[in-house]
Amino acid sequence: MLFPAELNRIGHLRTVIRRFFGITAHYMQGSGILTYYALKHHKFAVGQAKFIKNNPIYPNDMIYCDRNSAPELKEEMFVIWKKLSLFISLFILIIFLSACNSTASSEQIYNHLEKAVELEQTFDEQQDSIVELEQEEQEIYSQIIDLSMEEFDKIKELSGQALDNIETRNEKIDLEKESIDASKEAFSNIEDMIPELEQEAANEKAEEMYNVMMDRYEAYDKLHEVYSKSLTLEEELYTMLQQEDLEQDTLSEHIAKLNENYQKVIDANKSFNELTTKYNTLKEEFYNAAGIEVEFEENPTGEGESDSGDSNESEQEKESNESEQEKESDE
């Protein structure tokens, strides 16, 4: 039996070290000796290999093979290389699947974003009709202001028309709210998909886009709240106008309260529209960063914007000016 000290004195020695799965292999060529070393605790035997336990010269466990067992050793090394090839293949597959997963995530996000737009279609459809109803209510109010108490029956009739108008607008904004809520539910699904995006630029844009859109939904909730309050105050106004004994101070106080709330509607509507425009910009930037090719339609006012605030601004001016006319007529 040959010990390492003896092997070192044998002819030309060439050593090649390879590590795989915790195994170190040494090939020594010289005087017909081929040796194979295995790390301690690795159960690995080839052909006529023998373990040397407690070797006083070389304390680690060793396996020796002569040339007769070289074919078996070669076969074992082939198995190792086969495992290594499998490991490399799995590593490449993981990278490929990660890339596919990122692509799949961006496509899923795209689907949810476009679904959110689709669900806001009902919201968009209400805008023109709400503006028309607001203009109609302003005309009714103008007619009422021009009438005297001698034409009280006509005032009551017009006030009834205004109340019907308010009821219709309440129904419209309820449809708006349902549409926005459905859009929010669809859009919220992308939150868990954003971290799966591998591209840093796409990930950052998606995160920013998500935050802006959630702010937009919150802004709409505020707009819906103050607009609903305005409708309630308008309803109270036209109910008052049907009272013959209505006092001017009571009417003026209520109109002032209504005007104050109109300003809140204008501010909330402005915030909502600004966030809508910002979201649309970020959405386009996200699509570009994620490599999603889409065509964007030109929308000067911004997709999903509300125009009711502009109408309410003119309505606010009308309320204020005509209340002053009422005071002048009384004086």
Side-chain angles (χ1 to χ4, degrees):
M1 181 174 295
L2 296 174
F3 289 96
E6 295 173 332
L7 288 173
N8 290 337
R9 293 193 296 269
I10 297 177
H12 174 67
L13 179 64
R14 184 179 63 185
T15 303
V16 180
I17 301 178
R18 283 189 174 89
R19 297 183 183 274
F20 179 61
F21 294 141
I23 298 175
T24 301
H26 295 258
Y27 297 85
M28 297 184 180
Q29 188 173 359
S31 300
I33 300 294
L34 178 65
T35 63
Y36 179 83
Y37 294 71
L39 291 180
K40 194 173 184 179
H41 305 306
H42 280 280
K43 297 179 180 179
F44 195 100
V46 180
Q48 301 177 8
K50 296 181 180 179
F51 283 89
I52 301 176
K53 299 292 184 180
N54 300 321
N55 188 337
I57 300 177
Y58 194 89
N60 292 327
D61 292 342
M62 301 169 60
I63 299 176
Y64 288 91
C65 301
D66 57 22
R67 283 194 178 276
N68 293 329
S69 60
E72 288 83 357
L73 178 60
K74 184 176 181 181
E75 181 179 351
E76 291 296 334
M77 293 308 300
F78 173 76
V79 172
I80 291 177
W81 276 110
K82 189 174 182 181
K83 290 180 180 179
L84 179 59
S85 299
L86 178 61
F87 176 79
I88 294 173
S89 299
L90 288 174
F91 181 73
I92 295 173
L93 180 61
I94 290 172
I95 295 175
F96 176 75
L97 290 177
S98 296
C100 290
N101 184 56
S102 179
T103 302
S105 297
S106 62
E107 290 178 354
Q108 288 177 355
I109 289 175
Y110 166 81
N111 291 334
H112 285 295
L113 296 185
E114 296 309 310
K115 183 64 176 178
V117 172
E118 180 184 336
L119 291 170
E120 283 196 22
Q121 189 64 37
T122 302
F123 167 82
D124 294 334
E125 292 169 355
Q126 308 310 311
Q127 299 307 302
D128 290 341
S129 58
I130 288 177
V131 171
E132 290 176 3
L133 287 166
E134 289 172 345
Q135 293 172 346
E136 179 184 311
E137 184 274 327
Q138 291 178 47
E139 293 173 3
I140 292 173
Y141 184 83
S142 296
Q143 293 179 48
I144 291 175
I145 292 301
D146 290 338
L147 297 174
S148 65
M149 289 304 295
E150 294 177 358
E151 300 172 288
F152 183 69
D153 290 341
K154 183 63 174 178
I155 292 175
K156 288 184 65 175
E157 179 186 342
L158 290 172
S159 296
Q161 292 177 14
L163 290 171
D164 291 339
N165 177 289
I166 293 168
E167 183 179 355
T168 303
R169 275 188 286 160
N170 264 315
E171 293 172 356
K172 294 288 184 182
I173 65 169
D174 284 344
L175 291 174
E176 267 191 3
K177 186 71 165 62
E178 290 175 4
S179 176
I180 291 292
D181 287 345
S183 172
K184 181 179 180 180
E185 183 177 354
F187 180 84
S188 298
N189 290 324
I190 75 168
E191 183 178 14
D192 294 335
M193 302 175 186
I194 294 175
E196 298 175 1
L197 295 170
E198 296 291 336
Q199 299 159 300
E200 184 177 352
N203 187 292
E204 291 177 356
K205 283 298 177 185
E207 190 71 34
E208 186 178 2
M209 175 187 66
Y210 177 84
N211 292 333
V212 169
M213 188 58 155
M214 297 308 290
D215 289 342
R216 175 179 177 269
Y217 288 129
E218 186 176 341
Y220 174 79
D221 289 340
K222 180 64 176 178
L223 174 60
H224 182 269
E225 178 185 348
V226 294
Y227 192 89
S228 297
K229 181 66 179 297
S230 289
L231 292 180
T232 299
L233 291 171
E234 286 180 8
E235 185 177 1
E236 293 173 356
L237 171 65
Y238 289 107
T239 301
M240 287 180 180
L241 291 173
Q242 292 179 325
Q243 302 172 8
E244 279 190 89
D245 58 348
L246 176 63
E247 295 182 0
Q248 179 61 41
D249 290 342
T250 303
L251 179 61
S252 299
E253 182 181 341
H254 191 80
I255 289 175
K257 187 186 298 184
L258 183 57
N259 285 341
E260 182 182 347
N261 201 77
Y262 279 154
Q263 186 58 50
K264 293 179 180 179
V265 172
I266 294 169
D267 294 341
N269 191 75
K270 181 181 179 181
S271 177
F272 174 75
N273 287 344
E274 288 175 350
L275 287 168
T276 298
T277 301
K278 186 175 182 180
Y279 165 75
N280 287 333
T281 300
L282 288 170
K283 177 182 172 182
E284 184 173 356
E285 291 176 355
F286 164 70
Y287 283 166
N288 292 334
I292 301 174
E293 297 182 3
V294 294
E295 292 184 6
F296 289 89
E297 297 180 0
E298 292 295 330
N299 188 359
T301 60
E303 177 185 289
E305 288 189 359
S306 172
D307 298 324
S308 60
D310 297 332
S311 176
N312 278 319
E313 184 173 5
S314 61
E315 187 171 0
Q316 176 195 9
E317 294 173 354
K318 176 244 349 183
E319 293 283 359
S320 178
N321 293 337
E322 293 185 348
S323 65
E324 290 176 3
Q325 292 176 5
E326 283 188 330
K327 291 180 181 179
E328 290 175 359
S329 63
D330 287 344
E331 291 176 356

